[in-house]
Structures are given as structure tokens and as C-alpha cells.
Amino acid sequence: MEKNSKPVYGGQAVVEGVMFGGKHHTVTAIRRKDSTINYYRLPREVKNGLAATLKKIPFIRGIVAIIQSSANGAKHLNFSTERYELNPEDDEKIKEQETSKLSMILGVATIGVLSFLFGKFIFTLVPVFLAVLTKPIFSSHLSQVLVESFFKLVLLFCYIYFVSMTPIIKRVFQYHGAEHKVINTFEAGKELTVENVQAHSRLHYRCGSSFILFTVIVGIFIYMFVPADPLWVRILNRLALIPVVLGVSFEVLQLTNKLRNIPVLKYLGYPGLWLQLLTTKEPADDQVEVAILSFKELMRMENETNQREIIKEIL
């Protein structure tokens, strides 16, 4: 009961740092070239409003959470990339640089959402065209769904593998591992020290990597009930069903997290954990230190906000 009563925190690896999000704030900590730590802090959106209402509705809440996460994550990622390889004494150059016209029109958050949607469209449609090429061999509806899903998995694994070969992404994956280790340490009720954090797993049931894999698995079952011929119908229903697949996959992700301590049922989340073996790497101690600092700063801000809310209620 004690573990379940803990607040739920999420995170994201960025360039040379980690972002953590709580109920009221999101915080990123990055390590600069001179070994100093810089923070980027953002308040969460107002708890009242349409988005807050939609986040209470099963299957719809996942879509809202994904859009908000993409928009918010893009801001934190932009903060880290701006400062990557830039000496701290040159930070003024960031302010002097003119923002691109695209950023001026759309904004960083909107670009983040559009990037996610564009990637999802590519990830959805390319396997469709590849599967159609195999129709002379796999002609049945079920076989086409399975072949299409197979190509999705191949595309996913190849993409992760090849990007992980670049030095910068390898380090991001290490920070991804550090993020999970910190969350696992916190949820285990242990003190956040480098030694304690390093002793925990770099895998976590609520990870976005698991979510991506679940979209493939969930898609198999949903696509069985919709037509695949002719091709234009297949393309349209695949695009139209993206929100459905995302919404159901989010609920599956939440369910596997709730079942992770139950014998036998805990294995439902294992496919996502296996994928995390590719999307996370074992972090170095200095990377874990950055993740700890980011999480502690988030906790400080969350506690301050909670105390202010308690005082308001009393008054």
C-alpha cells in the first residue's frame, strides 16, 4: 500500500541530462561542458479546463497525455540541445540568435507534437505498403495484418539500432537508463544516492518505449476487425485508427504497470521491458548524479507548491 500511495513521476532523457515531471512542474537538469548543472523549469498546465477533463476519461486520456508530453518534452529537449557543446560563457549567443520562421509560426511545443504525429504516420503507413507487396504470398486478411505488424517491428528495431550507434544518442540512452533507475529507487523507498540508484534496474513498466511496442501489439487485434482492401480503404482506416490504437495502448501500459508485482500477470509487461534493453543503456555515475539532481529539484518545487495549496485551504 505504501508504494501505491506514492506520487507517480515520469521522465524523459534529453541531451546530457534528464527531465522529470510531477503534478505541478517539469524540471530538466543538464551537465554543461564546464561540469556545472543547469536547470530548466516549467509549470504544468492549469488543472482546470478541457484537457484536465479529458484526462479523466479512459482511452481518451492517453491521447491527451501523449500530446501534452510531446509538446512539453520538445521544450525541454530544445533547452538541452541549445546548450549542447556551447560553452556557458557563450550563453548570450542563444538570446542573440534569431528564431527560425518555422519556430516563430508554430512554436517549439507545436513542432514537437507535429514531429510525433509525422513519425506516427510514417511508422503506420510504410509497413502497409510493404505488406501489400507480399500479397501474392500472404493473401488472407489475417496474414496481411501479421505481415504488416512484422514490418512495423522490423522498422522499429532497425531505427532504434541505427540511431543508437551515434555517440550522442548512445549517451541519451544512458541518461534514459539513469532516469528509470532514479524512478525505481524512489518507488522502492530508498535514499537517492548514486550507489542506491545504480543498484536498481534501468527498465521500467511505464516507459514510453513499452508504449511504442504496445501500439504494434494492440494494432494487430484492432486491425483484424477492419477491412484491408482495397489499398485506399486500408490506408484510411489505418490513419483513422491511430487515436484508437494510441488510446488503447496507453490503457494497456497503465494496466501492466498495476500488475507488475503480481506473479504470472507481471509477464504481460515483459515485451516492453525487452524493448527497453535497446532504448536504455547502463549510465555512468556522473549521469546518475544529474538525474538525481533533476529529481530532487522537482521534489523541492512540488513540495513548495503543495505547502502553498495547504495554506490556501486553511485560510
Side-chain angles (χ1 to χ4, degrees), residues 194-223:
V194 173
E195 183 179 5
N196 285 347
V197 170
Q198 286 286 36
H200 283 79
S201 173
R202 75 177 199 261
L203 312 179
H204 197 283
Y205 275 78
R206 288 197 310 273
C207 177
S209 302
S210 297
F211 171 76
I212 293 172
L213 185 60
F214 285 142
T215 63
V216 179
I217 298 173
V218 167
I220 293 175
F221 294 97
I222 292 178
Y223 296 157

Side-chain angles (χ1 to χ4, degrees), residues 33-224:
K33 270 189 166 184
D34 62 352
S35 294
T36 59
I37 303 296
N38 279 187
Y39 294 95
Y40 180 62
R41 307 167 180 87
L42 279 178
R44 286 281 196 187
E45 292 186 7
V46 181
K47 290 182 285 185
N48 299 318
L50 179 61
T53 302
L54 293 177
K55 287 181 75 173
K56 298 176 182 178
I57 305 174
F59 300 103
I60 294 179
R61 61 186 176 184
I63 300 171
V64 177
I66 292 163
I67 292 174
Q68 288 184 330
S69 177
S70 299
N72 192 54
K75 297 175 185 177
H76 287 269
L77 187 59
N78 184 63
F79 165 79
S80 65
T81 53
E82 276 185 341
R83 286 153 181 79
Y84 178 64
E85 288 192 342
L86 184 68
N87 290 317
E89 59 267 23
D90 297 327
D91 281 357
E92 287 299 319
K93 292 181 180 179
I94 298 176
K95 300 176 183 178
E96 296 171 1
Q97 290 173 349
E98 291 185 358
T99 308
S100 68
K101 290 183 179 180
L102 181 61
S103 295
M104 289 174 61
I105 296 172
L106 300 176
V108 173
T110 307
I111 293 173
V113 175
L114 293 178
S115 298
F116 169 79
L117 293 176
F118 178 76
K120 184 58 183 171
F121 287 161
I122 296 298
F123 183 68
T124 299
L125 294 181
V126 170
V128 168
F129 293 111
L130 292 176
V132 168
L133 295 177
T134 69
K135 261 196 141 183
I137 304 173
F138 304 102
S139 57
S140 71
H141 180 75
L142 176 59
S143 62
Q144 275 291 293
V145 171
L146 293 176
V147 169
E148 181 182 330
S149 300
F150 169 77
F151 282 127
K152 277 187 179 181
L153 289 175
V154 171
L155 187 65
L156 174 63
F157 291 147
C158 288
Y159 173 77
I160 293 173
Y161 174 75
F162 285 114
V163 299
S164 68
M165 295 177 67
T166 62
I168 186 172
I169 297 300
K170 181 180 179 181
R171 287 191 62 80
V172 170
F173 283 0
Q174 287 179 294
Y175 278 108
H176 190 191
E179 172 223 326
H180 286 178
K181 283 174 174 278
V182 167
I183 293 292
N184 283 327
T185 306
F186 169 77
E187 291 181 344
K190 302 293 185 180
E191 183 183 358
L192 291 179
T193 65
V194 173
E195 183 179 5
N196 285 347
V197 170
Q198 286 286 36
H200 283 79
S201 173
R202 75 177 199 261
L203 312 179
H204 197 283
Y205 275 78
R206 288 197 310 273
C207 177
S209 302
S210 297
F211 171 76
I212 293 172
L213 185 60
F214 285 142
T215 63
V216 179
I217 298 173
V218 167
I220 293 175
F221 294 97
I222 292 178
Y223 296 157
M224 285 182 182

